[in-house]
Amino acid sequence: GRQQQMLANQAKRQEYHGQIMGTVATAAAVVAPVKLAIDYESNWADLKKVANFAKDDDEKRIKQDIFSVSERTGLGPNEVTKIAAEAGVANGADGNLDPEKMKRFLNDAAEMSVAYGITAEEAGERLATYQSRMELTAEQTRGMGDAMNYVASKMNATAADTSSVVARMGALGRTAGLSEKSIVGLAAAIVSTSENKETAGTAMKNFLLTLSQGNAMTKSQKETMKRLGFSNVRAIAEGMKKGGKEAENTLLTVLGAIKKMPEAEQAGIAKELFGTESLASLAPLINNPQKLREVFALANSEEATGSQLAEFKTRSETTQGALDRLAASGQILAITVGSVLLPPLASAAEHVTSVIQAVRALA
């Protein structure tokens, strides 16, 4: 009898266990969509802080565009919404969000994220920086993205690192007079000779600041430039301001002049002009100015056109790309279902809060 009772209790426990696990599974099936919907709602609130919608239809359209970009690229809808939150540059002349500009921005940033292997948020931040601080159009930023990706395929400088340096130093490059593609070429060349992207950024900053300041150079820098054959340092800055090939040739001329000096003096000259922290990054370009010339040619070549989109398509056509798109579609479905549950959940939370407040007051 005791044995029969033990077996009966065991069967009962197994039944309870099955009921508990079933309840947990049901709860998990509800919680996951709700969590995604809550995250999406929070990210959307971040977007509304920086975006003014002229009409409700624009808001609905942007939400659909976010889902479309997510399904196309395999980035999660919450990731794409974070990109949108960086898109202050997508405003029209009236200060309201331009849906067409936003759609273009979302697609460009998402393609950059996939092609470069960086997060969606990083891609959005960098693209917004290019368009705002460097004052570039959407077409110019796409061309610059093509240049970064193409150069990365031809040399030891990843598009991710180059894009990071361009985001930090691109505005300085524009002030110095370089075109956007020349900035890409210079950044990629220095990235390829630097220990990391931070060091590359510092070297690029010192290089451009020194050569673009003209008569504002220090006395010792002017004397060093005179030794190199540049008695009129202002002409160096003016040459860079001409942009295009003229600016590139000005940089190459200075590097070539240092290269012609006795080998024992080159390091000291570079240190005096550009600082100790930049010496290791710039030394390889001083030893071989032709390398920088080649990178400038790559960045400005016709073959670079469409490179970023091609890289995106290559990555998207992999098995991982297909799985990412499947996951993104699943998340969109979960957000859609979870959003239905948010209003009653918010009401329940308010009710429970009022009960807790009453109990606290009583205590």
Side-chain angles (χ1 to χ4, degrees), residues 63-82:
K63 287 182 177 180
Q64 289 304 313
D65 285 341
I66 287 173
F67 287 164
S68 296
V69 171
S70 176
E71 289 182 319
R72 172 176 171 258
T73 63
L75 297 177
N78 277 311
E79 293 181 87
V80 180
T81 308
K82 289 180 181 179

Side-chain angles (χ1 to χ4, degrees), residues 243-258:
K245 286 289 184 182
E246 195 73 33
E248 293 176 3
N249 288 334
T250 299
L251 298 181
L252 291 166
T253 298
V254 173
L255 292 176
I258 300 175

Side-chain angles (χ1 to χ4, degrees), residues 2 38 51 90 257 324:
R2 285 196 297 272
I38 290 173
D324 288 342

Side-chain angles (χ1 to χ4, degrees), residues 195-210:
E195 182 179 357
N196 52 55
K197 60 185 179 183
E198 287 75 21
T199 304
T202 300
M204 183 171 174
K205 178 183 71 175
N206 292 342
F207 186 52
L208 290 174
L209 279 176
T210 297

